[in-house]
Amino acid sequence: AHTITSREALIEHLAEIRRVGFAVDDEEAGVGMRCFAVCLPFQSPSKDAVSCSVPIARLDAEKEHAIVESLHAAREELSRQFGRRRAAI
């Protein structure tokens, strides 16, 4: 019921992801779950990501922000350790 089904809505959603720097799956893969993800810039276009899925009942705005910040930190650390060996975007 939450899946994006129109091409136009998907294009808008992808533009928003690029703008904010992370993606949110809001009950698209599973009811009651929210997933946050950031791409890993090892190749262009990016084909790798790191994500975290959490039951919505355990989330609030502060926890969501902390998860996104942690994912960005993980991306930076992975890029520092491994990204130099591959093409960056």
Side-chain angles (χ1 to χ4, degrees):
H2 298 260
T3 301
I4 297 170
T5 58
S6 80
R7 180 179 174 88
E8 295 79 19
L10 178 60
I11 290 169
E12 289 176 20
H13 186 67
L14 291 172
E16 178 68 8
I17 290 167
R18 286 184 190 97
R19 187 183 71 74
V20 299
F22 65 95
V24 179
D25 169 340
D26 196 9
E27 296 188 90
E28 292 173 57
V31 175
M33 296 296 292
R34 187 169 293 150
C35 178
F36 304 88
V38 297
C39 70
L40 299 177
F42 296 152
Q43 50 188 307
S44 182
S46 182
K47 296 178 183 176
D48 304 300
V50 61
S51 68
C52 178
S53 295
V54 183
I56 290 174
R58 296 173 59 189
L59 286 173
D60 58 30
E62 184 178 322
K63 288 178 184 170
E64 288 186 13
H65 180 74
I67 289 167
V68 170
E69 290 297 314
S70 294
L71 290 170
H72 280 118
R75 177 182 60 199
E76 293 305 314
E77 181 62 20
L78 289 166
S79 294
R80 186 183 67 73
Q81 289 185 24
F82 303 106
R84 298 182 204 281
R85 297 181 195 151
R86 300 179 183 169
I89 57 174

